[in-house]
Amino acid sequence: MELKIIVLTLFIIAANAEKVSYEGYSLYKVTPTRENHLILLKDVQKKGVGEFWEDPLYLNYEMRIMVAKENKVLFKSMLGKSGMVIEETIKDLQRAIDDQLKPAQRSAQDSHLFLSMNWNQYYSLEEINNWLDEVEKNYPTIVTSVTMGQSFENRQIKGIIINYRPGRNNLIGMLQGTLHAREWITTATITWIIKEFLTSTDREVRALAENFQWHLFPVVNPDGYVYTFTTNRMWRKNRSTQSFTSCLASGVSNDLSNGVDLNRNFDYAWMTLGTSDNPCTQVYAGPAAFSEPETRAISNYILGLNREGRFIYFIDFHSYTQLICISYSDVNGTDVLLAENYADMYEIAARGAAKIENSHATRYRVGVAADILYPMSGTSFDWAKYAARIPISYLIELRDLGQYGFLLPPEQIIPNSVEIMDALLVMDKTARYMGYYSGSQSIICSFSIILIGVLVALIN
Ligand SMILES: [Zn+2]
């Protein structure tokens, strides 16, 4: 009996270790607009006809479905009668995956080599961590490397602190990437920001770099990130095996029951909206809030920083769909005012988005997730806003709008990063004018209300 279990376990490990090939797969875009569309999509998933980038939970939300060659006819016939428009966005998925690993061709003057990294390609976890060490070694008085904790598979969650004024700086900002493993562009964006903070001669970049103690974590889900390189490019969750189970009834591979969606595992409105208690889904919230070592590490780190100084900015980068999401993600309508500085956060984000659109013609939308994406609960940025009282907390969904989605070509790393840096500069300037550096934003807010009152009185 024991031998059988060992053989079965080895078989499962071997099956999981094999690299998933998407040869012959196409990627399709569909938008469910009626309840029966969602029922139909759930049926497609349950029968294993398509593999979903996200679970079919929301109406009017553009979804991506990967379909193997042998299932394409059945897929089209199942959805064909529903009236849903099916659009093939990537013809050869494996080729798009392979292409993403080929460095972009750029002229020498467009190259942005900084130590061992450039932004013409995506890097493995090992390469990123080595580069962080290199950065620390080259800027010993400004940069300190830091490990916020260990992952489920015991990898370090590594980042760096950039502090130009040690001992004097009490303004704190934190940026994190790849909470969702497959969203590679988020990691490249954070390493770009690190490079800019250390090397840019632009006056505004210098001010943003030097006014803050920055805590920058390119990969907060290291196990998932490694898994996207070694085994399954489309992996989203962490690699926890605690809830391993058969997914036969869900129509997905049993491997999907491994892992928790880390951006549903934080202790803010946990397990209420846009999430699932079924381990065989992409949005599995975990057996309990903070059940995962990665979310515990992030939250403990944030609480620790909060005791050290004035923690003003927290940004959790994701991809894709080009959005700046404002807390809180489980509300809309007038309930958005539950976030006491909602209007400020909206204004700051809107100015950032306007800058991106005016300077780079890339359109970002701004709002609460329930309005511009879908309602969510248990997210890191909502928890940071709610539990750690960080005044300005965003989730930013980077490029693109779905043409490549998670497979954003390396040619777009630099344009993406440049426009985000431009947005951050404008957002910071706006927050500074509003008084967030001095903690006097409430005074400014009250002053504005009095001023508006006086003007209304004068008009009347
Ligand atoms: Zn994400």
Side-chain angles (χ1 to χ4, degrees):
M1 185 68 185
E2 269 182 10
L3 184 69
K4 261 189 189 167
I5 291 171
I6 291 167
V7 170
L8 187 66
T9 310
L10 285 175
F11 175 74
I12 289 167
I13 290 167
N16 288 347
E18 203 175 301
K19 196 162 186 170
V20 176
S21 168
Y22 290 99
E23 191 94 48
Y25 276 69
S26 285
L27 187 70
Y28 292 97
K29 177 175 92 177
V30 296
T31 308
T33 53
R34 296 199 297 263
E35 278 302 330
N36 69 315
H37 291 165
L38 283 180
I39 295 167
L40 196 59
L41 288 168
K42 281 177 188 156
D43 196 36
V44 166
Q45 189 177 41
K46 205 170 161 184
K47 292 193 167 115
V49 177
E51 295 167 40
F52 287 58
W53 274 13
E54 49 282 295
D55 300 296
L57 298 174
Y58 320 101
L59 282 177
N60 303 312
Y61 177 71
E62 237 178 49
M63 315 191 43
R64 297 293 189 284
I65 307 168
M66 305 182 287
V67 183
K69 202 175 181 178
E70 60 275 18
N71 288 337
K72 286 179 190 173
V73 173
L74 180 59
F75 174 75
K76 284 177 190 165
S77 78
M78 281 180 86
L79 294 191
K81 293 168 221 139
S82 67
M84 251 184 296
V85 179
I86 310 167
E87 194 188 320
E88 188 181 45
T89 56
I90 298 180
K91 254 189 169 41
D92 185 344
L93 197 62
Q94 188 57 49
R95 189 165 163 191
I97 290 171
D98 296 341
D99 284 351
Q100 204 191 20
L101 282 166
K102 291 180 193 154
Q105 298 303 314
R106 285 199 173 92
S107 64
Q109 79 204 55
D110 288 336
S111 180
H112 287 264
L113 189 71
F114 175 53
L115 304 173
S116 64
M117 189 173 280
N118 68 41
W119 283 263
N120 296 341
Q121 65 176 94
Y122 293 99
Y123 289 92
S124 69
L125 182 73
E126 196 186 355
E127 289 168 323
I128 291 163
N129 285 346
N130 288 342
W131 179 77
L132 292 175
D133 289 341
E134 220 184 328
V135 170
E136 185 189 27
K137 206 183 277 175
N138 281 273
Y139 292 83
T141 56
I142 300 161
V143 173
T144 319
S145 75
V146 59
T147 298
M148 66 156 65
Q150 311 292 123
S151 66
F152 183 83
E153 292 174 346
N154 274 323
R155 290 189 178 85
Q156 291 188 333
I157 305 172
K158 204 171 151 96
I160 58 170
I161 303 167
I162 296 181
N163 192 356
Y164 279 89
R165 300 169 187 171
R168 288 202 292 132
N169 213 339
N170 73 345
L171 297 179
I172 293 172
M174 176 170 160
L175 311 178
Q176 70 177 26
T178 328
L179 191 61
H180 287 147
R182 61 193 173 186
E183 298 165 7
W184 288 4
I185 185 60
T186 64
T187 291
T189 305
I190 292 183
T191 55
W192 173 271
I193 293 169
I194 291 173
K195 173 194 72 102
E196 287 292 289
F197 279 175
L198 292 171
T199 64
S200 174
T201 52
D202 178 276
R203 198 169 48 87
E204 288 184 21
V205 177
R206 292 263 43 85
L208 184 59
E210 295 176 24
N211 283 334
F212 279 78
Q213 187 190 113
W214 284 104
H215 297 254
L216 305 148
F217 291 88
V219 184
V220 290
N221 174 9
D223 299 347
Y225 189 69
V226 166
Y227 203 65
T228 60
F229 280 80
T230 61
T231 311
N232 187 348
R233 174 65 190 90
M234 305 323 301
W235 194 256
R236 166 182 166 100
K237 303 187 279 185
N238 76 344
R239 288 297 303 164
S240 162
T241 54
Q242 283 183 94
S243 306
F244 186 79
T245 185
S246 166
C247 294
L248 208 58
S250 306
V252 299
S253 84
N254 289 347
D255 188 33
L256 192 62
S257 71
N258 290 316
V260 167
D261 182 346
L262 297 177
N263 210 29
R264 300 291 183 278
N265 190 243
F266 283 76
D267 195 10
Y268 171 79
W270 179 79
M271 201 36 235
T272 55
L273 281 169
T275 185
S276 173
D277 58 3
N278 176 2
C280 299
T281 62
Q282 300 277 12
V283 288
Y284 176 47
F290 289 137
S291 58
E292 305 310 298
E294 294 87 353
T295 53
R296 287 197 299 272
I298 295 166
S299 55
N300 287 334
Y301 192 81
I302 288 174
L303 291 176
L305 279 185
N306 216 14
R307 287 189 286 270
E308 268 180 42
R310 196 177 306 125
F311 199 156
I312 297 180
Y313 299 139
F314 175 77
I315 301 179
D316 186 23
F317 286 104
H318 288 255
S319 76
Y320 57 96
T321 45
Q322 296 172 195
L323 308 171
I324 305 178
C325 294
I326 299 166
S327 284
Y328 293 105
S329 306
D330 60 332
V331 294
N332 61 0
T334 51
D335 286 347
V336 297
L337 298 171
L338 287 171
E340 69 285 351
N341 65 336
Y342 168 82
D344 286 359
M345 285 195 294
Y346 190 95
E347 175 76 11
I348 293 165
R351 285 180 188 243
K355 174 70 187 175
I356 298 177
E357 187 156 6
N358 294 337
S359 305
H360 306 276
T362 311
R363 185 161 182 253
Y364 272 68
R365 288 181 297 138
V366 172
V368 288
D371 283 336
I372 58 173
L373 185 64
Y374 41 71
M376 302 184 284
S377 58
T379 69
S380 70
F381 85 113
D382 284 334
W383 176 86
K385 172 82 186 152
Y386 182 77
R389 316 302 303 163
I390 296 169
I392 299 163
S393 184
Y394 294 121
L395 181 156
I396 299 186
E397 297 272 3
L398 299 169
R399 285 192 186 195
D400 56 11
L401 289 173
Q403 187 187 356
Y404 296 99
F406 307 120
L407 303 173
L408 194 72
E411 285 76 8
Q412 292 199 39
I413 295 174
I414 292 177
N416 163 87
S417 303
V418 167
E419 69 198 11
I420 286 300
M421 193 74 217
D422 279 355
L424 292 181
L425 295 176
V426 169
M427 290 162 80
D428 172 60
K429 198 189 274 182
T430 311
R432 198 177 345 137
Y433 287 157
M434 285 177 168
Y436 281 90
Y437 275 25
S438 60
S440 62
Q441 68 275 12
S442 52
I443 297 166
I444 290 176
C445 193
S446 316
F447 178 71
S448 311
I449 290 166
I450 293 165
L451 194 65
I452 291 166
V454 170
L455 286 173
V456 169
L458 286 174
I459 292 163
N460 288 339

